[in-house]
């Protein structure tokens, strides 16, 4: 144990005695590890905000859309589509909406021309929509069964349309939909998974049918599945809805698109990783080079050590340990530097920092491996040196 | 295998011979028997030709001869830094040719203290660190090692220089540090190569005084030199020429 301690002390003092040289050969592992850590860190962090959002949204939402047989207009689902979907065992919640086309919406009394030219999409929705979407209400409340029972003409605005209409929180506002007055009861928060909903106004299915004069059949379903079985659920839904009938159903997992968008640029990552690997390799060659020269420069020291009784293997171990320390220290400094670069650039670019800390030991281990293999040849050379030749006797 | 570290008793405490090492008076510490050292393969050059020599405990001897006489080769062989082409070298009774490198290195570290003309201190280590180098890899606790190294420096009047690096010291001081490194392991034999060659006369005289003071009944001191003054200090003078010993004289001391 003491002998290992002695060896560590000797190797350490050898590195400490030549600080500049040590730092220079450490640059290889430092740059290599820093490049690899920051390469992965930066490419991931560039998409960090999306990734964070994604993990918040959950990836288990399925949107089912009614698709008509070719050529048919305004295809719809059966009115009990929600119950049919909920028969699928992996479905945890479902909500139906229907698009009402051509509804003219006027935000305030007296406003007309401009708003008539740009109709707002109006959606009939059931009570469950916010809970299935997992989106909070920014203001007021969602449509309720009371609205249906009492035949209230309530409307909830999407976040975007609330802004456009200049709706203030808590304000009592009446808007006109196809010449009928509707009272605004709430504002739905932004729906990241289906941004179309942000620009819609929501009414009850009763109002859609009886006030706005549509058939009230749903044509779009929002479905939450058991996490992990999203795709299977999406595959099962068309059958569950049509039950062998003629209904055409197309399903979509909105997070798939987001997920693709949140995917870090793998090609860039690989190129940067390759550059890091290259830096490490070149660094390794540098270590081998400098250490070889160092062995020649320190031949007198080696001769002295041999004369006072250090064996060949101890001399070899001394030099190998020096390169081991270079690899360890270079790896640690490189990792710190790489993390610092990721934090620095992310702060500057406004990214959410994503660092795969679990991968860092791999890069550090790689730096260690390269350093030790680079030190192998010089160490063997040092061990083989003949003390008689280096001491210049006589 | 008598490779037990020779330094188990703390420095300064009267030592007893470790088991297995021959220390009996009259038994040679080091013995060369018909030793030849040949360099070159196609053209053989005899650096040493059929040399026999016995070095006994308590001897103070010099090996002299012109350059090319085989002094350096002799030094390498006596110091177990080199092996003979033919013949036998025994250190403390052990045939060095039969030992592997770790054992031979240990034997060298335990039995022989080197002093070189160019001092050969490790430049990045302090005086203390240089002396400690001789005590490494012997399972000595760092604190004990430091203490013993400091004691050796103190013996040679260098305690104030313990933290100095070689470049911060004069030649005489550096050679005394080298001497401290040689004696700190309490070796059987001090082997010096032209120890005053790089020193001015005052420092040379001082170093020679120290060599004289290192004489003991158990330890041999061997100086390889071409300087008659240095050679004259020793009680036994071995002269070499063309790879052979040509004279082996004992200086008769007038005892009063």
């Amino acid at each position: 144990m003491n002998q290992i301690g002695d060896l560590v002390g000797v190797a350490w003092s050898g590195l400490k005695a030549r600080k500049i040289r040590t730092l220079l050969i450490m640059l290889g592992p430092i740059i290599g590890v820093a490049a690899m850590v920051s390469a992965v860190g930066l490419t991931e962090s560039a998409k960090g905000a999306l990734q964070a959002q994604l993990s918040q949204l959950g990836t288990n939402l399925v949107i089912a859309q009614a698709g008509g047989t070719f050529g048919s207009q305004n295809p719809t689902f059966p009115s009990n589509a929600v119950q049919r979907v909920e028969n699928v065992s992996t479905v945890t919640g479902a909500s139906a909406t229907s698009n009402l086309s051509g509804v003219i919406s006027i935000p305030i009394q007296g406003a007309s021309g401009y708003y008539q030219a740009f109709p707002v999409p109006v959606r009939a929705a059931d009570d469950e929509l916010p809970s299935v979407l997992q989106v909070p209400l920014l203001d007021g409340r969602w449509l309720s069964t009371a609205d249906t029972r009492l035949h209230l003409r309530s409307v909830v605005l999407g976040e975007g349309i609330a802004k456009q209409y200049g709706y203030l929180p808590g304000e009592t506002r009446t808007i006109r939909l196809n010449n009928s007055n509707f009272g605004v009861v709430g504002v739905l928060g932004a729906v990241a998974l289906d941004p179309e909903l942000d620009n819609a106004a929501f009414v009850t299915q009763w109002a859609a049918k009886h006030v706005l004069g549509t058939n009230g059949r749903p044509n779009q379903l929002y479905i939450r599945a058991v996490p992990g079985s999203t795709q299977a659920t999406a595959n099962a839904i068309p059958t569950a809805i049509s039950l062998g009938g003629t209904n055409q159903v197309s399903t979509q997992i909105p997070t798939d698109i987001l997920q693709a968008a949140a995917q870090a640029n793998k090609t860039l990552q690989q190129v940067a990783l390759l550059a890091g690997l290259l830096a490490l390799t070149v660094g390794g060659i540098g270590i081998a080079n400098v250490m070889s020269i160092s062995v020649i420069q320190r031949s007198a020291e080696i001769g002295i050590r041999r004369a006072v009784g250090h064996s060949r293997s101890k001399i070899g171990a001394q030099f190998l340990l020096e390169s081991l320390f270079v690899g360890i220290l270079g790896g640690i400094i490189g990792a710190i530097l790489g993390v610092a670069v990721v934090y620095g650039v992310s702060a500057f670019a406004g990214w959410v920092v994503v660092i795969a800390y679990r991968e860092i030991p791999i890069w550090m281990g790689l730096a260690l491996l390269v350093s030790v293999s680079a030190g192998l040849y010089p160490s063997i050379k040092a061990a083989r040196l003949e003390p008689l030749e280096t001491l210049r006797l006589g | 295998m008598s490779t037990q570290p020779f330094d188990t008793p703390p420095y300064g405490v009267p030592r007893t011979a470790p088991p297995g090492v021959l220390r009996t008076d009259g038994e040679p510490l080091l013995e060369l028997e018909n030793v030849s050292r040949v360099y070159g393969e196609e053209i053989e050059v005899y650096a040493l030709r059929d040399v026999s020599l016995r070095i006994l405990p308590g001897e103070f001897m010099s090996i002299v001869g012109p350059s090319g006489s085989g002094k350096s080769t002799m030094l390498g062989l006596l110091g177990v830094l080199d092996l003979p082409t033919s013949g036998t070298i025994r250190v403390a009774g052990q045939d060095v040719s039969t030992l592997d490198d770790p054992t031979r290195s240990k034997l060298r570290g335990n039995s022989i203290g080197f002093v070189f003309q160019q001092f050969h201190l490790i430049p990045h280590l302090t005086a203390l660190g240089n002396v400690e180098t001789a005590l490494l890899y012997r399972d000595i606790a760092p604190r004990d090692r430091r203490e013993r190294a400091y004691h050796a420096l103190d013996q040679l009047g260098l305690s104030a220089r313990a933290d100095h690096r070689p470049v911060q010291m004069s030649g005489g001081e550096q050679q005394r540090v080298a001497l401290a490194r040689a004696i700190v392991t309490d070796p059987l034999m001090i082997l010096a190569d032209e120890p005053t060659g790089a020193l001015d006369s005052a420092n040379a005289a001082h170093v020679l005084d120290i060599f004289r003071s290192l004489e003991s009944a158990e330890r041999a001191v061997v100086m390889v030199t071409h300087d008659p003054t240095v050679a004259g200090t020793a009680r036994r003078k071995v002269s070499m020429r063309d790879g052979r010993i040509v004279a082996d004289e004992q200086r008769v001391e007038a005892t009063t």
Side-chain angles (χ1 to χ4, degrees), chain A residues 220-231:
Chain A
Q220 193 153 15
L221 257 60
Y222 296 88
I223 301 142
R224 280 284 173 188
V226 173
S229 59
T230 316
Q231 189 59 55

Side-chain angles (χ1 to χ4, degrees), chain A residues 53-68:
Chain A
Q53 197 188 26
L54 199 60
S55 68
Q56 205 188 355
L57 292 173
T59 54
N60 58 342
L61 187 78
V62 181
I63 300 175
Q65 199 128 24

Side-chain angles (χ1 to χ4, degrees), chain B residues 93-188:
Chain B
Q94 287 179 306
D95 183 349
V96 296
S97 301
T98 63
L99 305 176
D100 61 1
D101 178 71
T103 317
R104 206 174 334 153
S105 297
K106 216 164 197 172
L107 182 71
R108 175 165 59 234
N110 288 337
S111 317
I112 296 155
F114 284 93
V115 179
F116 304 100
Q117 178 176 8
Q118 296 303 330
F119 324 135
H120 280 324
L121 299 178
I122 297 173
H124 66 259
L125 298 177
T126 60
L128 193 68
N130 268 287
V131 178
E132 279 187 63
T133 303
L135 296 175
L136 288 170
Y137 312 129
R138 290 161 184 256
D139 290 318
I140 303 171
R143 184 183 295 178
D144 295 345
R145 185 176 69 217
R146 208 156 298 133
E147 219 161 80
R148 286 176 58 177
Y150 188 82
H151 185 82
L153 282 174
D154 194 34
Q155 267 199 318
L156 297 177
L158 286 166
S159 51
R161 289 278 187 259
D163 292 334
H164 289 219
R165 283 169 203 283
V167 287
Q168 298 167 303
M169 289 185 278
S170 72
E173 285 170 334
Q174 288 187 52
Q175 194 60 306
R176 273 147 67 201
V177 173
L179 268 160
R181 180 179 63 195
I183 63 167
V184 74
T185 57
D186 208 1
L188 296 173

Side-chain angles (χ1 to χ4, degrees), chain A residues 6 304 306 310 312 391 394, chain B residues 101 108 120 133 137 145 193:
Chain A
D6 289 355
I304 295 161
R306 301 277 289 126
H310 301 186
R312 287 187 193 282
L391 289 171
Chain B
D101 178 71
R108 175 165 59 234
H120 280 324
T133 303
Y137 312 129
R145 185 176 69 217
D193 171 32

Side-chain angles (χ1 to χ4, degrees), chain A residues 145-208:
Chain A
T145 37
D147 293 319
T148 307
R149 285 220 200 108
L150 301 175
H151 298 183
L152 297 179
R153 284 178 285 178
S154 301
V155 64
V156 172
L157 302 179
E159 192 213 16
I161 208 166
K163 257 184 209 156
Q164 195 193 329
Y165 283 3
Y167 179 77
L168 301 171
E171 184 189 342
T172 307
R173 172 81 74 98
T174 303
I175 66 170
R176 286 180 76 79
L177 298 175
N178 278 358
N179 300 321
S180 298
N181 287 334
F182 278 79
V184 176
V185 295
V187 177
L188 185 68
V191 184
L193 290 174
D194 191 358
E196 273 182 36
L197 296 182
D198 292 349
N199 290 317
F202 302 92
V203 297
T204 59
Q205 269 149 353
W206 174 85

Side-chain angles (χ1 to χ4, degrees), chain A residues 9-63:
Chain A
V10 167
W12 184 248
S13 77
L15 286 175
K16 223 174 62 179
R18 300 163 190 80
K19 292 195 181 69
I20 299 295
R21 189 207 72 150
T22 303
L23 189 73
L24 282 175
I25 60 173
M26 232 181 251
L27 277 181
I30 289 176
I31 293 172
V33 173
M36 292 195 279
V37 169
S38 58
V40 177
L42 286 178
T43 45
E44 296 286 346
S45 296
K47 300 294 171 71
L50 274 177
Q51 286 178 10
Q53 197 188 26
L54 199 60
S55 68
Q56 205 188 355
L57 292 173
T59 54
N60 58 342
L61 187 78
V62 181
I63 300 175

Side-chain angles (χ1 to χ4, degrees), chain A residues 33-393:
Chain A
V33 173
M36 292 195 279
V37 169
S38 58
V40 177
L42 286 178
T43 45
E44 296 286 346
S45 296
K47 300 294 171 71
L50 274 177
Q51 286 178 10
Q53 197 188 26
L54 199 60
S55 68
Q56 205 188 355
L57 292 173
T59 54
N60 58 342
L61 187 78
V62 181
I63 300 175
Q65 199 128 24
T69 42
F70 189 72
S72 81
Q73 285 187 339
N74 297 331
T76 56
F77 288 135
S79 44
N80 63 346
V82 168
Q83 283 94 304
R84 293 186 182 193
V85 161
E86 279 172 348
N87 284 336
V88 176
S89 62
T90 52
V91 169
T92 57
S95 172
T97 67
S98 39
N99 288 325
L100 312 180
S101 48
V103 177
I104 291 167
S105 158
I106 294 168
I108 339 170
Q109 296 284 325
S112 59
Y114 169 83
Y115 293 101
Q116 282 178 0
F118 297 98
V120 160
V122 174
R123 294 236 187 174
D126 59 21
D127 310 345
E128 300 299 321
L129 190 63
S131 69
V132 170
L133 291 174
Q134 292 171 10
V135 170
L137 285 149
L138 292 180
D139 188 47
R141 62 171 177 85
W142 183 247
L143 305 166
S144 71
T145 37
D147 293 319
T148 307
R149 285 220 200 108
L150 301 175
H151 298 183
L152 297 179
R153 284 178 285 178
S154 301
V155 64
V156 172
L157 302 179
E159 192 213 16
I161 208 166
K163 257 184 209 156
Q164 195 193 329
Y165 283 3
Y167 179 77
L168 301 171
E171 184 189 342
T172 307
R173 172 81 74 98
T174 303
I175 66 170
R176 286 180 76 79
L177 298 175
N178 278 358
N179 300 321
S180 298
N181 287 334
F182 278 79
V184 176
V185 295
V187 177
L188 185 68
V191 184
L193 290 174
D194 191 358
E196 273 182 36
L197 296 182
D198 292 349
N199 290 317
F202 302 92
V203 297
T204 59
Q205 269 149 353
W206 174 85
K209 205 167 177 178
H210 297 100
V211 182
L212 300 174
T214 65
N215 63 15
R217 284 210 191 135
N219 58 7
Q220 193 153 15
L221 257 60
Y222 296 88
I223 301 142
R224 280 284 173 188
V226 173
S229 59
T230 316
Q231 189 59 55
T233 309
N235 294 342
I237 281 167
T239 320
I241 292 175
S242 67
L243 290 175
T246 55
N247 294 90
Q248 300 281 313
V249 180
S250 67
T251 56
Q252 179 202 348
I253 302 168
T255 43
D256 278 358
I257 301 155
L258 253 177
Q259 237 161 359
Q263 196 67 247
N265 188 334
K266 288 289 176 200
T267 317
L268 192 70
Q269 204 172 40
Q270 278 158 3
V271 167
L273 272 180
L274 215 62
L277 214 58
L278 203 67
L280 209 57
T281 312
V282 173
I285 295 167
I287 291 173
N289 223 327
V290 173
M291 290 272 285
S292 293
I293 296 166
S294 180
V295 166
I296 296 164
Q297 283 173 340
R298 293 165 73 183
S299 60
E301 176 190 334
I302 294 165
I304 295 161
R305 291 188 184 278
R306 301 277 289 126
V308 299
H310 301 186
S311 62
R312 287 187 193 282
S313 52
K314 289 287 190 309
I315 299 290
Q318 172 190 342
F319 280 86
L320 201 60
L321 210 59
E322 284 192 18
S323 59
L324 183 90
F325 285 163
V326 165
I328 292 176
L329 272 178
I332 291 172
I333 297 172
I336 292 170
L337 208 68
V339 169
V341 164
V342 173
Y343 269 93
V345 172
S346 297
F348 189 73
W351 294 342
V352 175
V353 174
V354 178
I355 292 172
Y357 283 101
R358 250 184 270 169
E359 281 178 13
I360 291 180
I362 301 173
W363 313 137
M364 284 168 63
L366 211 60
L368 192 66
L369 194 74
V370 167
S371 301
V372 172
S373 1
L376 210 55
Y377 168 70
S379 302
I380 292 170
K381 210 170 89 170
R384 286 197 179 150
L385 223 53
E386 281 300 332
L388 210 53
E389 285 161 23
T390 68
L391 289 171
R392 260 168 295 199
L393 302 175

